[in-house]
Amino acid sequence: MSEIDELTRTLREFAKGRGWERFHTPKNLVMAISGEAGELAAEFQWLSPEESCSLKGLPTQNIELEIADVAIYLLRLCDVMEVNLADAIKKKIRINEKRFPITT
């Protein structure tokens, strides 16, 4: 079992144990992803491009937690919609390789 599969199963059990499955509709999960992505964006809102690139090694707990929130809802959405995330990513990469060929 891949780590993504393991996380998906853990999140499914977490939601089921709390009776949250009824709330985890595709629409609600997409809205949750949007909200959490907004919270992630807020962490960078007033940073210059240079400041945003120099965060390595600095305390970034809030950023890490917001990234985790986005990923959690994305994994739940994939689970609910029966989308294999790894396969979807590979498919999109193949599409992008054709759309954006190497130019150098």
Side-chain angles (χ1 to χ4, degrees), residues 45-93:
Q45 184 171 6
W46 303 114
L47 300 178
S48 69
E50 295 78 19
E51 289 170 329
S52 72
C53 290
S54 66
L55 296 174
K56 291 179 183 163
L58 297 176
T60 56
Q61 181 176 349
N62 289 348
I63 292 169
E64 289 176 6
L65 294 176
E66 296 305 339
I67 290 170
D69 284 339
V70 171
I72 285 167
Y73 285 123
L74 181 61
L75 288 175
R76 283 297 295 140
L77 178 63
C78 289
D79 189 31
V80 167
M81 294 190 67
E82 298 180 1
V83 170
N84 182 301
L85 180 58
D87 289 346
I89 290 170
K90 290 174 192 174
K91 180 179 181 180
K92 185 61 177 183
I93 289 170

Side-chain angles (χ1 to χ4, degrees), residues 35-47:
E36 295 300 339
E39 291 181 20
L40 177 59
E43 294 293 329
F44 290 88
Q45 184 171 6
W46 303 114
L47 300 178

Side-chain angles (χ1 to χ4, degrees), residues 5-65:
D5 292 336
E6 192 175 316
L7 288 167
T8 298
R9 188 188 49 145
T10 299
L11 293 168
R12 183 186 312 127
E13 291 171 3
F14 186 91
K16 183 177 182 177
R18 287 152 182 80
W20 292 352
E21 294 162 305
R22 64 182 180 198
F23 302 114
H24 287 190
T25 64
K27 177 196 77 73
N28 287 353
L29 291 166
V30 168
M31 291 177 69
I33 291 167
S34 295
E36 295 300 339
E39 291 181 20
L40 177 59
E43 294 293 329
F44 290 88
Q45 184 171 6
W46 303 114
L47 300 178
S48 69
E50 295 78 19
E51 289 170 329
S52 72
C53 290
S54 66
L55 296 174
K56 291 179 183 163
L58 297 176
T60 56
Q61 181 176 349
N62 289 348
I63 292 169
E64 289 176 6
L65 294 176

